[in-house]
Amino acid sequence: MKVEFSPLRRGELIAGAAALVLILTLFGLPWYGLTGAAQRSADALGISTSVNGWHGLTDLRWLILLTALTGLALAVAQSACRAPALPVSLSTITTVLGAVTSLALIDRVLLNVPGPSELVGARVGAYVGLISGLALTAGAFVSLREEDPADPAHNAAIETVHLG
């Protein structure tokens, strides 16, 4: 299986890049943290005042990880497969998972922050994660809507087998 990046269309590029950013954000950036007096007190005591998405979203983290891995698989499948069946199936699955994940992230980042709202607030990672989840969903949807590969050289006919 040879992986080439030239058959990637705009939708797969967006979904793959957003999936990579989502995974990096899930583990690398703070998503939630203490605010106000509680943050100042914890800082004075040398206690960490923020958590990343992996530790802050104990149930939702599995859905986020599955969605991001599916977005990466979509980009890899499009770059490695000549037949359209697998990338189209993955586009559909990624679009649905991305939409569910985006709705869950909208709830957890904008509407219902985990913990008491007067003590806990969303940090930069939560907003970057939300934006990447929305971008992943949009990229997978655009991938469904695009018909032709970006490079006409890869628009070769699918081989047919003649019996008899």
Side-chain angles (χ1 to χ4, degrees), residues 5 14 39-40 49 52 62 65-66 78 83 87-88 98 101 114 124 133 145:
F5 293 106
I14 293 170
Q39 178 184 8
R40 289 189 295 277
T49 61
N52 62 14
W62 297 109
L65 186 62
L66 177 64
Q78 180 63 35
V88 170
T101 301
V124 67
R145 307 283 302 166

Side-chain angles (χ1 to χ4, degrees), residues 28-95:
L29 290 178
W31 281 52
Y32 301 104
L34 295 176
T35 60
Q39 178 184 8
R40 289 189 295 277
S41 299
D43 285 341
L45 295 172
I47 300 171
S48 176
T49 61
S50 63
V51 296
N52 62 14
W54 185 256
H55 292 104
L57 301 169
T58 55
D59 295 330
L60 186 57
R61 65 183 171 191
W62 297 109
L63 178 63
I64 295 170
L65 186 62
L66 177 64
T67 303
L69 292 176
T70 307
L72 288 175
L74 171 62
V76 170
Q78 180 63 35
S79 65
C81 296
R82 287 186 58 195
L86 182 62
V88 170
S89 299
L90 278 172
S91 292
T92 305
I93 292 168
T94 305
T95 301

Side-chain angles (χ1 to χ4, degrees):
M1 175 171 72
K2 183 178 179 185
V3 176
E4 296 179 21
F5 293 106
S6 57
L8 287 179
R9 300 171 296 186
R10 182 179 43 165
E12 287 94 12
L13 285 172
I14 293 170
L20 187 61
V21 169
L22 186 57
I23 288 173
L24 294 174
T25 302
L26 182 64
F27 293 105
L29 290 178
W31 281 52
Y32 301 104
L34 295 176
T35 60
Q39 178 184 8
R40 289 189 295 277
S41 299
D43 285 341
L45 295 172
I47 300 171
S48 176
T49 61
S50 63
V51 296
N52 62 14
W54 185 256
H55 292 104
L57 301 169
T58 55
D59 295 330
L60 186 57
R61 65 183 171 191
W62 297 109
L63 178 63
I64 295 170
L65 186 62
L66 177 64
T67 303
L69 292 176
T70 307
L72 288 175
L74 171 62
V76 170
Q78 180 63 35
S79 65
C81 296
R82 287 186 58 195
L86 182 62
V88 170
S89 299
L90 278 172
S91 292
T92 305
I93 292 168
T94 305
T95 301
V96 171
L97 277 174
V100 170
T101 301
S102 295
L103 289 173
L105 284 174
I106 287 171
D107 177 54
R108 294 309 271 173
V109 172
L110 301 178
L111 303 175
N112 188 15
V113 176
S117 60
E118 63 275 356
L119 294 177
V120 178
R123 299 274 194 246
V124 67
Y127 297 108
V128 172
L130 173 61
I131 291 169
S132 13
L134 292 169
L136 189 148
T137 305
F141 182 73
V142 168
S143 172
L144 276 175
R145 307 283 302 166
E146 292 177 325
E147 294 180 7
D148 298 325
D151 186 6
H154 286 87
N155 199 7
I158 297 174
E159 297 176 26
T160 57
V161 176
H162 298 284
L163 299 174

